[in-house]
Amino acid sequence: LRHRRSVLTSSKRSYFMSLREKMDITDQVWSELHLRAVNAMKQAYAPYSGYPVGAACLTRDGQYYSGCNVENAAYGVGLCAECGMVSDMIKDGRSEIIAFAAVNGEELPVVPCGRCRQLLSEHMTSDAMVEIPAGILPFSSVMPFSFGKTDLNEVSTSTFQEQ
Ligand code: THU
């Protein structure tokens, strides 16, 4: 009996270890995100600000998406890199981001603007990590107390329904 119990315990332990390893975002993933963000940044259309941005993410099921900023002569309608990236991901039927990184024209990390943090927050898993100039941090620490779907359910007149 003791033997069986120890076998069970060790198989349980390895199950949880492999689960944890899967959740861990490896250096290889951060390199891949950086590379994809740089490639996207090179395609940016940013003649007005001279500040090209590329953004990239990895979804829970292992897919990468990226986007670049697209500016406009009517300055206010310009799109951030995150907009293109999120659109690319949603169009592909995915929405669970586990890791995110963005770079500027010097290939250095960019912190997402306030609007893009809101855009991202809808699609970030609770344990998602982001690379920003301050380091690799949980998204929840970069955007605490964010407004989300659950807030819509707090009022009885809300027409919001989970899809
Ligand atoms: N930009 C992004 O694409 N993402 C951000 O999170 C920060 C800002 C773009 C918008 C604009 O085209 C340029 O950077 C300068 O603000």
Side-chain angles (χ1 to χ4, degrees), residues 45-46 49-55 68-71 78-83 100 102 110-114 116-117:
Y45 178 71
S49 69
Y51 190 86
V53 178
C68 61
N69 54 339
V70 183
E71 297 183 348
L79 302 173
C80 281
E82 292 84 343
C83 299
F100 168 86
V110 169
V111 65
C113 75
C116 287
R117 289 185 213 188

Side-chain angles (χ1 to χ4, degrees), residues 67-145:
C68 61
N69 54 339
V70 183
E71 297 183 348
N72 193 278
Y75 286 12
V77 306
L79 302 173
C80 281
E82 292 84 343
C83 299
M85 181 198 80
V86 168
S87 179
D88 191 23
M89 174 186 72
I90 296 291
K91 166 227 77 205
D92 223 10
R94 290 183 168 87
S95 72
E96 287 189 295
I97 299 173
I98 62 166
F100 168 86
V103 297
N104 61 25
E106 290 179 352
E107 305 187 4
L108 294 170
V110 169
V111 65
C113 75
R115 181 187 175 281
C116 287
R117 289 185 213 188
Q118 179 65 29
L119 181 74
L120 292 171
S121 73
E122 183 102 358
H123 308 291
M124 289 295 205
T125 59
S126 58
D127 52 0
M129 301 295 286
V130 293
E131 184 177 37
I132 61 169
I136 294 172
L137 297 166
F139 181 71
S140 57
S141 72
V142 174
M143 197 181 183
F145 309 109

